[in-house]
Amino acid sequence: MSREDFWFFHPFRVRYSEIDGQGVVFNAHYLTYFDTAITEYFRALGFDQYADAQASGIDFHVVKSVIEYKAPVRFDWELDVGVRVARIGNSSLVFELAIFLKGGADALVTGEIVWVYTDQKTHRPVTIPASMRSLIATRERHLTA
């Protein structure tokens, strides 16, 4: 993945509390970076996921998360986390993510997160509405081809 694959980035600065005894970001923190960046991605689209879930009773469940560590990430580094929706299924969204040094071209960490749109009473998948698909496609041109 390259920086050009993403239209959206969320900045982070590595805090001391996020590093481990080896002086690099502890592995579990990458999922927090990804989750926060996805929330900000939707905010940038103008979609309030939390309010929508409260009103509709339908929300996303994470069903898969993959992280590939390509290079160490260290304390006090400024980062850009890129997010994009790579695919939309009937009830699922597949996010591709990458962490770059601020302004850098090479991904230090990459990831994939899969969400399934789920009725919160039954915990069964439901179809992603056309309005959400259209909203995402306004920025993810590859989904309209």
Side-chain angles (χ1 to χ4, degrees):
M1 270 181 252
S2 68
R3 181 174 276 280
E4 292 77 34
D5 292 328
F6 301 93
W7 68 270
F8 178 80
F9 295 90
H10 185 67
F12 287 91
R13 174 169 275 191
V14 178
R15 298 174 296 182
Y16 183 78
S17 63
E18 296 167 339
I19 61 172
D20 62 17
Q22 299 164 348
V24 298
V25 171
F26 179 68
N27 62 75
H29 289 294
Y30 293 103
L31 289 174
T32 301
Y33 294 166
F34 288 167
D35 185 68
T36 302
I38 290 170
T39 297
E40 296 302 325
Y41 171 94
F42 278 113
R43 184 171 282 130
L45 286 175
F47 179 69
D48 186 336
Q49 178 194 350
Y50 182 77
D52 183 72
Q54 294 298 305
S56 69
I58 302 170
D59 200 356
F60 288 96
H61 287 228
V62 174
V63 298
K64 179 181 179 183
S65 53
V66 176
I67 303 171
E68 186 174 351
Y69 308 98
K70 298 178 176 293
V73 176
R74 301 194 180 278
F75 168 66
D76 210 32
W77 284 9
E78 292 183 69
L79 308 173
D80 295 324
V81 179
V83 179
R84 72 184 218 134
V85 173
R87 291 183 304 284
I88 302 177
N90 182 52
S91 61
S92 64
L93 293 177
V94 178
F95 296 95
E96 291 179 341
L97 303 106
I99 298 175
F100 303 89
L101 274 174
K102 182 178 181 178
D106 297 325
L108 304 170
V109 178
T110 60
E112 177 184 271
I113 304 288
V114 180
W115 281 4
V116 173
Y117 206 44
T118 307
D119 182 298
Q120 295 302 287
K121 289 182 183 165
T122 64
H123 297 284
R124 300 296 307 154
V126 296
T127 301
I128 296 172
S131 59
M132 187 180 299
R133 292 170 186 279
S134 295
L135 181 63
I136 293 168
T138 63
R139 296 305 306 256
E140 304 291 1
R141 304 279 186 228
H142 62 279
L143 296 175
T144 59

